[in-house]
């Protein structure tokens, strides 16, 4: 019953058939992202800077929600690695969409509430990137057994992608 109501509100011919709840959730998420980007692209960020900033935050949040959905309900025809790469691409786009982060994005104009929301969304995106990188690289399986040789001090090395993402998340908080 609810599915038919949702279908009637969406006016979309390729909307999933009734009964396939996972497809409906995915399609509604896709529609939310596309509607947010359509609204964002229809604005002049110079003239309507507050609206453009708010829509940029909404677009970033919608992309991050789609990443969460992709992680929770991955398509059966995608491998874990392909799914992880798609999540990283989406999270990069979510970060670039944030006000003041990417080229062509509106500035925050000193609005502390919007600045704080942008910081929270950036931190969430960087932490999610860390989780994806760790998943793609394989998590440690648990505590190591046996004694380990002490390691020699080494030269400072370039941080790994998970370390870099964690550091960016910490700095955003």
């Amino acid at each position: 019953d609810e599915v038919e109501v949702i279908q009637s509100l969406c006016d979309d011919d390729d909307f999933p058939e009734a009964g396939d709840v996972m497809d409906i959730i995915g399609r509604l998420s896709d529609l939310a992202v596309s509607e947010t980007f359509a609204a964002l692209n229809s604005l002049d960020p110079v003239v309507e800077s507050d609206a453009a900033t708010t829509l940029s935050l909404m677009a970033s949040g919608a992309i991050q929600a789609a990443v969460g959905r992709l992680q929770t309900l991955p398509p059966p025809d995608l491998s874990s690695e392909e799914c992880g790469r798609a999540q990283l691409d989406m999270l990069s786009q979510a970060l670039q969409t944030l006000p003041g982060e990417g080229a062509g994005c509106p500035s925050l104009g000193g609005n502390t509430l919007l600045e704080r929301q942008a910081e929270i969304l950036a931190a969430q995106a960087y932490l999610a990137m860390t989780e994806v990188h760790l998943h793609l690289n394989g998590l440690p399986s648990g505590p190591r057994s046996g004694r380990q040789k002490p390691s020699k001090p080494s030269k400072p090395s370039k941080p790994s992608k998970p370390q870099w993402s964690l550091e960016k998340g910490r700095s955003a908080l």
Side-chain angles (χ1 to χ4, degrees), residues 128-161:
M129 286 179 101
T130 302
E131 290 179 15
V132 173
H133 281 300
L134 288 173
H135 178 71
L136 287 175
N137 294 332
L139 294 172
S141 58
R144 296 181 180 167
S145 59
R147 296 190 67 171
Q148 302 261 331
K149 290 182 182 177
S151 61
K152 295 179 183 176
S154 60
K155 298 177 196 174
S157 62
K158 182 178 172 185
S160 68
K161 289 181 181 181

Side-chain angles (χ1 to χ4, degrees), residues 60-172:
S60 180
I63 293 170
Q64 290 185 47
V67 168
R69 179 180 55 85
L70 184 59
Q71 187 173 19
T72 305
L73 306 168
D77 56 338
L78 279 183
S79 71
S80 178
E81 185 173 323
E82 290 172 323
C83 194
R85 297 280 176 231
Q87 290 171 342
L88 290 174
D89 290 344
M90 292 168 70
L91 288 166
S92 295
Q93 183 179 6
L95 285 166
Q96 292 171 355
T97 304
L98 286 172
E101 293 289 326
C105 291
S107 105
L108 292 166
N111 185 325
T112 56
L113 180 63
L114 294 179
E115 287 174 358
R116 181 66 183 142
Q117 189 60 44
E119 291 167 355
I120 290 169
L121 285 170
Q124 287 175 333
Y126 283 119
L127 293 175
M129 286 179 101
T130 302
E131 290 179 15
V132 173
H133 281 300
L134 288 173
H135 178 71
L136 287 175
N137 294 332
L139 294 172
S141 58
R144 296 181 180 167
S145 59
R147 296 190 67 171
Q148 302 261 331
K149 290 182 182 177
S151 61
K152 295 179 183 176
S154 60
K155 298 177 196 174
S157 62
K158 182 178 172 185
S160 68
K161 289 181 181 181
Q163 290 170 332
W164 181 86
S165 295
L166 270 176
E167 192 55 42
K168 291 295 281 187
R170 284 188 191 117
S171 68

